[in-house]
Amino acid sequence: MIESAFYQELLAMMPGKVKAGELMKKHTSWRIGGPSEIFVEPSGREDLKAVVTYAHTRELPLTVIGAGTNILVADQGIKGIVVKLGRGIDKIVTGPDGIVAEAGAKLSRIAAAARRAGLGGFEFTAGIPGVVGGALAMNAGANGSSIGDLVREVSLLSLEGEFFHKSREEMGFGYRTSVLQQEPAIVIEAAFACGRRDKSEIQKEMEQFLKRRKATQPLHYPSAGSIFKNPPGDSAGRLIEAAGLKGLRVGDAQVSELHANFIVNLGAATARDVLALIGKIRETVLGDCGVELKLEVKIIGDI
Ligand SMILES: Cc1cc2nc3c(=O)[nH]c(=O)nc-3n(C[C@H](O)[C@H](O)[C@H](O)COP(=O)(O)OP(=O)(O)OC[C@H]3O[C@@H](n4cnc5c(N)ncnc54)[C@H](O)[C@@H]3O)c2cc1C
């Protein structure tokens, strides 16, 4: 157990922004996850730098999350300090040919700002519930585009507490991956390039994307979006459905009846339930068609 002196010191540094034992299920779209020893919601970059430097000098484990829409947090919770980037680090500025957005800005707010400014590029994000930092770490994408395609430059904070920049090339974007998955650093802000586009065309396209999502995804249940990455040339959902696994349940975790690559929480699912279900899916799909499904969702904490 982390020393309570650490909690007291951080609380003194950032009054009102630090909690002990905060349940992570309150911060994940799956509504799953045990307590974090220390939970911090910094209200700006200097707060963030202070907590990162604090964790580094005391050798405390540090986990950064955004909207918590692509993570499975252990039932036992997360050791050390969890930093959530959202409100306070979520400024969005539109320019004539691009947008600058801070790590905690929701993709939906950026897409709305882009539409109002007549800037095209963010339409594909319609319905993706994350914020900029998580979206860049995951290179979130849909409808044939990914967020990395729009990036000009990213401002980051190292785990030692130093600010630095990376170009799009240096970010190493690939299918649901970026260099941050191998070389962890914290996204602070990103500059995106956008083209001019008619506002009503932007609106129309986003409405179409949302309509398709509502028809094909189980949005009325807590989930974390797609569980597995699509294997080359195929779709994970198709393979899982072909294996007859739609509706399969472990506890309150269920393979969605609507979209087989979603695991939904029917009410009281635990991380243990979800992992057991993931194991069954992988085993069956491997046995049936020889494909090893790879997780898209990130597991955080000791499972
Ligand atoms: C209903 C639903 C639909 C979805 N649809 C899609 C989709 O179409 N396409 C898609 O790609 N995804 C989709 N997702 C998954 C998810 O929304 C995206 O991956 C999203 O971009 C993750 O952002 P987040 O802020 O929630 O990240 P989180 O889940 O909070 O974090 C994800 C990862 O990023 C890291 N991270 C978070 N913030 C930072 C930061 N500031 N700096 C460095 N690392 C950071 C975390 O440590 C973690 O490893 C969907 C999810 C749901 C629930």
Side-chain angles (χ1 to χ4, degrees), residues 209-219 246 256-262:
F209 288 152
L210 277 175
K211 199 171 155 199
R212 198 182 319 147
R213 251 177 216 276
K214 281 185 187 144
T216 57
Q217 297 184 356
L219 302 179
K246 268 189 166 178
S256 164
E257 304 268 10
L258 193 58
H259 190 315
N261 199 20
F262 276 56

Side-chain angles (χ1 to χ4, degrees), residues 197-260:
R197 194 173 182 203
D198 184 77
K199 293 179 195 179
S200 60
E201 275 179 34
I202 295 175
Q203 172 87 18
K204 209 165 115 195
E205 187 168 36
M206 289 185 67
E207 279 169 5
Q208 280 166 358
F209 288 152
L210 277 175
K211 199 171 155 199
R212 198 182 319 147
R213 251 177 216 276
K214 281 185 187 144
T216 57
Q217 297 184 356
L219 302 179
H220 44 294
Y221 284 111
S223 80
S226 294
I227 299 293
F228 299 103
K229 294 185 183 190
N230 289 323
D234 212 330
S235 106
R238 192 197 69 76
L239 292 171
I240 300 166
E241 186 171 351
L245 298 176
K246 268 189 166 178
L248 183 71
R249 233 176 123 162
V250 174
D252 262 355
Q254 184 184 44
V255 177
S256 164
E257 304 268 10
L258 193 58
H259 190 315

Side-chain angles (χ1 to χ4, degrees), residues 81 193 257 288:
I81 301 174
E257 304 268 10
D288 280 14

Side-chain angles (χ1 to χ4, degrees), residues 30-44:
W30 237 329
R31 303 284 166 255
I32 291 174
S36 56
E37 287 186 305
I38 296 179
F39 181 83
V40 184
E41 285 182 279
S43 54

